[in-house]
């Protein structure tokens, strides 16, 4: 396999021409005057409104300008594409015209350079093939055993703190389980020592200010990356020799049909990215799903009923697959509150969509939150209604890219099935032991960007059953 460059961003493979995959991030093309839209106020652009009211802002833009809209945020100019057809065009990307690496570079590239989402085309395909061994069914079944014991211990302790601030409790739980499932760290003392590093890494990755200033979240995130890198590098030789079942060990042992393996640098890059991608998005999804179940006790009870008869050690992998209604609720939750609300790409060469030419080196944004609530594709799109995912209605099949919380195309989330295992296991354990309630009249206020999170950490009453 190739090795990372010494620069901030990943060096392309020699098999990809420089014109297709520039080693450094080209300056963005700001020549977007021919595209309808609104840049907003000077400097800040539409950035603040996008954080506070992303859905409302894009609905207004769509009504006024249509599905191809120019916008700006904190000095960056970009084109927002607001249609499922645009999603298919960009994510399927049959001609290597849209770079994920360059699209994400300005937001997470400073901390996650070399991670799978920061790779493109042939390089990405080769790495993804090697990494798939960590997400196959046999691996998921082994993760489930560890996850079940850890989640159960954590969840049973929550009832003593009711009402509970659910969001930070879930974040701590998912960090802990990621330490075991992803890193193979089982000793409580070692994991406890590592948790502050992981917290800083996550905070830095999702910070709105992407420049490192001593003491700020991004600076702490970069420092945390170095700490985690040292932790991983020290353990790689042992993980290559042992037959561990955590994701870290599986990446150390992965080999292609011709014997190629990931280098130490590549393993480090992928693990740093996976630790955050696998923790923070899951924490957001679990929180939003718990909120909607508390608001809709009838769905809470339907999920609980399909989990009846589970043994004391928790559900098996085959039992999880039968939790159909729980899966509908999850799909509806990530439709309403997508954990990755926007997907950026950088245009490699001039393209045309919707009658407008999009110049090379322009950034395009696919707005997941808006598209997943378009009334053209969804009945009563702002309503929580898991039945829309049932076989009788199947609204998500009206267009293959009207629902895409896990991305699509070559960059479809590798951990999608692991996330679903975690979600179903979590609610099997939670609903078996508690009834979820909110205070009368409570309505959650949340920030949609950079990832959905409740502004008050979601106080939840857990009534023991």
């Amino acid at each position: 396999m190739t090795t990372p460059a010494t620069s901030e961003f990943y060096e392309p493979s020699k098999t990809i021409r420089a014109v297709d995959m520039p080693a450094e991030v080209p300056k963005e093309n700001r020549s977007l005057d021919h595209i309808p839209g609104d840049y907003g106020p000077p400097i800040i652009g539409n950035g603040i409104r996008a954080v506070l009211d992303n859905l409302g802002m894009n609905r207004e833009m769509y009504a006024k300008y249509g599905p191809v809209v120019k916008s700006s945020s904190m000095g960056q100019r970009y084109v927002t594409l607001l249609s499922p057809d645009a999603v298919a065009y960009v994510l399927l990307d049959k001609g290597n015209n849209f770079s994920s690496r360059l699209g994400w570079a300005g937001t997470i590239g400073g901390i996650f350079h070399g991670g799978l989402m920061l790779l493109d085309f042939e390089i990405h395909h080769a790495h993804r093939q090697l990494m798939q061994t960590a997400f196959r069914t046999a691996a998921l079944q082994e993760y489930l055993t560890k996850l079940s014991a850890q989640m159960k211990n954590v969840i049973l302790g929550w009832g003593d703190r009711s009402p509970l601030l659910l969001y930070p409790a879930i974040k701590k739980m998912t960090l802990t389980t990621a330490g075991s499932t992803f890193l193979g760290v089982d000793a409580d003392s070692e994991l406890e020592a590592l948790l502050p590093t992981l917290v800083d890494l996550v905070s830095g990755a999702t910070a709105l200010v992407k420049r490192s200033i001593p003491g700020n979240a991004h600076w702490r995130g970069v420092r945390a990356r170095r700490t985690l890198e040292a932790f991983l590098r020290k353990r790689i030789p042992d993980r290559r020799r042992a037959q561990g079942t955590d994701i870290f060990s599986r990446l150390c042992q992965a080999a292609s049909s011709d014997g190629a393996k990931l280098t130490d640098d590549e393993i480090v890059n992928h693990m740093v990215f996976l630790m955050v991608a696998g923790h923070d998005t899951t924490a957001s999804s679990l929180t939003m799903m718990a909120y909607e179940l508390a608001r809709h006790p009838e769905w809470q009870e339907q999920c609980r009923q399909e989990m009846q008869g589970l043994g004391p050690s928790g559900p098996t992998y085959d039992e999880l697959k039968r939790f159909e209604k729980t899966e509908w609720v999850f799909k509806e939750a990530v439709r309403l509150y997508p954990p990755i609300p926007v997907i950026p790409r950088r245009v490699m060469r001039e393209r045309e969509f919707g009658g407008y030419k999009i110049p090379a080196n322009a950034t395009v944004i696919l707005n997941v939150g808006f598209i997943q609530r378009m009334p053209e594709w969804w009945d009563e799109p702002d309503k929580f209604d898991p039945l829309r995912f049932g076989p009788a209605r199947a609204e998500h099949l009206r267009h293959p890219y009207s629902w895409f919380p896990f991305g699509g195309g070559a960059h479809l989330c590798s951990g999608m099935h692991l996330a679903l295992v975690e979600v179903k296991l979590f609610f099997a354990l939670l609903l078996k032991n508690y009834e979820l309630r909110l205070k009368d009249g409570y309505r959650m206020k949340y920030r949609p960007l950079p990832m959905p999170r409740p502004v008050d950490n979601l106080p939840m009453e857990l009534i023991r059953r």
Side-chain angles (χ1 to χ4, degrees):
M1 302 299 295
T2 56
T3 56
T6 55
S7 63
E8 182 181 2
F9 300 104
Y10 203 87
E11 185 70 24
S13 162
K14 292 180 181 179
T15 62
I16 302 176
R17 293 176 298 144
V19 68
D20 291 328
M21 198 64 231
E24 300 300 330
V25 180
K27 187 176 181 181
E28 70 173 11
N29 194 323
R30 301 170 65 85
S31 302
L32 306 176
D33 291 346
H34 62 291
I35 296 174
D38 179 5
Y39 289 132
I43 302 177
I44 63 171
N46 295 309
I48 293 177
R49 188 177 178 194
V51 171
L52 298 178
D53 183 24
N54 191 266
L55 180 62
M57 181 188 77
N58 281 282
R59 280 177 168 169
E60 182 180 301
M61 291 279 202
Y62 181 77
K64 189 172 182 179
Y65 302 114
V68 182
V69 184
K70 68 184 178 189
S71 188
S72 73
S73 175
M74 308 305 292
Q76 180 190 25
R77 292 185 176 182
Y78 52 88
V79 180
T80 301
L81 301 178
L82 300 170
S83 78
D85 287 343
V87 177
Y89 178 64
V90 172
L91 295 189
L92 294 182
D93 191 16
K94 297 180 180 179
N96 291 352
N97 296 306
F98 300 96
S99 169
S100 178
R101 179 180 77 96
L102 300 181
W104 286 105
T107 54
I108 64 173
I111 293 178
F112 295 124
H113 47 275
L116 193 60
M117 201 160 68
L118 275 293
L119 301 180
D120 278 317
F121 314 139
E122 286 93 338
I123 295 176
H124 171 266
H125 177 74
H127 281 240
R128 186 182 177 95
Q129 289 294 104
L130 274 177
M131 294 174 69
Q132 281 302 107
T133 183
F135 299 101
R136 292 181 180 137
T137 299
L140 298 181
Q141 290 172 323
E142 291 178 337
Y143 303 151
L144 176 61
T145 302
K146 283 188 176 182
L147 286 169
S148 186
Q150 288 185 320
M151 281 190 181
K152 183 177 180 180
N153 289 336
V154 172
I155 289 170
L156 288 177
W158 284 352
D160 299 328
R161 293 185 282 150
S162 183
L164 176 74
L165 293 179
L166 193 63
Y167 180 61
I170 287 178
K171 279 181 69 71
K172 184 175 182 180
M173 181 199 71
T174 56
L175 271 177
T176 302
T177 55
S180 174
T181 306
F182 284 72
L183 295 179
V185 177
D186 294 318
D188 290 343
S189 58
E190 189 177 25
L191 186 57
E192 196 66 30
L194 192 60
L195 280 177
T197 296
L198 299 179
V199 169
D200 283 346
L201 189 70
V202 171
S203 298
T206 56
L208 292 177
V209 177
K210 302 301 180 182
R211 186 179 298 275
S212 287
I213 302 170
N216 76 351
H218 193 271
W219 178 84
R220 292 194 301 273
V222 172
R223 185 180 61 176
R225 178 186 170 109
R226 289 196 292 266
T227 301
L228 184 56
E229 280 185 355
F231 176 92
L232 293 165
R233 289 184 192 281
K234 182 179 178 181
R235 288 160 176 80
I236 286 176
D238 287 340
R239 299 303 179 92
R240 288 198 188 276
R241 290 189 293 268
Q243 294 297 312
T245 58
D246 55 273
I247 292 176
F248 181 24
S249 295
R250 291 178 188 276
L251 294 192
C252 289
Q253 299 155 19
S256 66
S257 58
D258 60 0
K261 294 186 175 183
L262 295 168
T263 67
D264 288 5
D265 286 343
E266 290 168 344
I267 291 168
V268 167
N269 288 336
H270 289 312
M271 285 306 306
V272 170
F273 173 73
L274 286 172
M275 281 301 298
V276 174
H279 144 71
D280 222 27
T281 55
T282 302
S284 174
S285 299
L286 291 176
T287 301
M288 298 305 170
M289 186 170 166
Y291 168 67
E292 291 294 352
L293 285 175
R295 286 186 64 215
H296 299 88
E298 72 281 6
W299 274 102
Q300 187 177 154
E301 188 55 33
Q302 287 189 61
C303 291
R304 188 177 289 116
Q305 287 298 319
E306 72 176 358
M307 298 169 179
Q308 294 297 313
L310 298 178
S313 60
T316 66
Y317 186 78
D318 287 337
E319 286 173 329
L320 287 180
K321 291 193 291 185
R322 296 200 298 265
F323 295 170
E324 183 181 50
K325 292 180 179 178
T326 305
E327 186 168 333
W328 297 349
V329 173
F330 168 65
K331 288 179 175 179
E332 178 69 339
V334 295
R335 182 187 72 83
L336 293 169
Y337 314 101
I340 305 296
V342 296
I343 298 176
R345 291 289 188 267
R346 182 66 75 90
V347 182
M348 303 298 292
R349 55 191 65 80
E350 183 181 273
R351 296 287 91 193
E352 183 173 332
F353 183 82
Y356 297 98
K357 290 184 177 180
I358 304 175
N361 290 323
T363 297
V364 296
I365 302 289
L366 304 174
N367 194 286
V368 186
F370 170 85
I371 293 170
Q372 292 187 166
R373 294 198 189 206
M374 292 183 74
E376 294 93 326
W377 303 104
W378 303 95
D379 299 337
E380 297 183 88
D382 294 331
K383 179 183 178 181
F384 175 79
D385 183 8
L387 285 175
R388 71 175 80 247
F389 288 94
R393 288 166 57 186
E395 292 180 21
H396 60 301
L397 300 181
R398 293 173 177 173
H399 191 292
Y401 282 94
S402 60
W403 185 81
F404 60 112
F406 295 101
H411 282 272
L412 181 69
C413 176
S414 296
M416 175 174 61
H417 298 295
L418 175 58
L420 190 55
V421 165
E422 291 188 74
V423 167
K424 289 183 175 182
L425 173 63
F426 174 79
F427 282 101
L429 298 171
L430 186 68
L431 298 181
K432 177 181 179 180
N433 292 284
Y434 303 106
E435 182 179 333
L436 311 183
R437 292 184 188 173
L438 300 166
K439 287 186 177 180
D440 291 344
Y442 176 86
R443 286 294 181 270
M444 178 185 67
K445 294 182 179 180
Y446 74 101
R447 297 275 175 85
L449 294 175
M451 190 173 295
R453 61 175 296 270
V455 297
D456 62 355
N457 286 324
L458 188 57
M460 181 76 70
E461 294 187 40
L462 304 180
I463 312 302
R464 287 191 183 275
R465 291 176 51 80

